Amino acid sequence: MTRFSNQYQPVLLAIVVLLVAGYLSARLELYTLLSLTVFLVMGILALSLAFIWGYGGILCFGQAAFFGLGAYSYAIGVINWGDSTWAVVAAIVIPTLFALLLGYVIFYGGVSDVYLGAITLAVSLVLFNWINSTSGSEYHLGQALLGGFNGIPSVPTLNMPFAVDDILSPQALFMVTVGGLVLCYLLLKFTLLSRFGKTVVAIRENEQRAGLLGYNVPAHKLATFAIGAAIAGLAGCLYANWGAFVSPGVFSLSQSAQIIIWVIVGGRGTLIGPVLSCIALQWLVTRLGAQQSVDTNLVLGIILAIFVLLIPGGILPTLQRLFTRKGKSPQVINPAAIDKVKS
């Protein structure tokens, strides 16, 4: 009975989230709805690293690379094709293929975890600098000008599948974003319950032992890396839709650092924790940015230092441990057993 409830608990949670989102989409004013939409988009991005790092043990400093590739793939695709249907597919497939190529070199090349972080960070910076240098009219893919540091403006937003004239409203885009977040969460949750997911966690715990037991460690890590890249690409696609604009900032170092902060604060080894942390920190950054009196990067740095030093497990795992300890009943000692030990 307990196993049955554990399997269907994520589904029940997803249904509740969708019902609440449907209510909010009809009640919230446009500005609040748009702000919440971008928070949820970043939540999908946080979910991608929560899986790669929290469960796969792969510290990827360049998750922004897949996020940016998803955003630019969608923008370039929709401008050339005029229909967002295949552009969304491209935004997911291209980062996934890029992750498979990069991951193959890393995991099958025997690159250690320390160098893996450096390589993924370098890839993001290379993409950032390259996109920044494409400001001339000669830099284009089809009809889409890359725009350099100015980015690509006036990106056509999502339409109904294969219906170019049926453009989604902000309320519909909000629901699509919520649906994407819920779908990714369920996909990862049931993946972790599968044999593949359990193997990924086992590799994280002891890679050498998993290899000695006959598991293909590089293949599992490569698949984990690719799944996270696909989710990050979806987040980039929705981000380009949210603002109808994409710029090299999606590849920036600050973007990569924020994703890591979301996972650390929310807690590794959980999926919901980094999402909630992302939404809360994005809200905090927005409020501080509106006041223009406090440096938001300084605040994020202080938050990161506090959690690394004082709450290294993150908010959600720490709360779970506290509630678990409080919920345990005190152990009852049998006096007869004591007498038996004494004798």
Side-chain angles (χ1 to χ4, degrees), residues 12 56 82 102 104 126 151 184-185 194 201 220 246 257 283 296 299 304 337:
L12 295 176
L102 179 64
Y104 181 84
V126 167
C184 291
Y185 170 75
S194 67
V201 174
H220 281 81
V246 60
W283 175 83
T296 57
V299 173
L304 176 62

Side-chain angles (χ1 to χ4, degrees), residues 1 3 12 26 29 52 89 118 125 137 171-172 280 317-318 338:
M1 184 68 180
R3 183 179 179 183
L12 295 176
E29 60 181 11
I52 290 178
V89 175
L125 294 178
S137 59
Q171 289 79 9
T318 302
I338 297 177

Side-chain angles (χ1 to χ4, degrees), residues 225-250:
F225 197 57
I227 292 172
I231 295 174
L234 174 62
C237 168
L238 294 173
Y239 181 77
N241 275 276
W242 170 76
F245 173 76
V246 60
S247 71
V250 292

Side-chain angles (χ1 to χ4, degrees), residues 68 71-72 75-76 146 148 150-155 236 239-240 243-250:
Y72 269 91
I76 294 170
L146 297 181
N150 292 317
I152 303 177
S154 303
V155 177
Y239 181 77
F245 173 76
V246 60
S247 71
V250 292

Side-chain angles (χ1 to χ4, degrees), residues 17 65 71 74 87 96 107 144-145 161 186 220 231 248 260 300 311 318:
V17 170
Y74 172 81
T96 305
F107 301 124
L145 291 173
L186 291 177
H220 281 81
I231 295 174
I260 295 174
L300 289 176
I311 318 176
T318 302

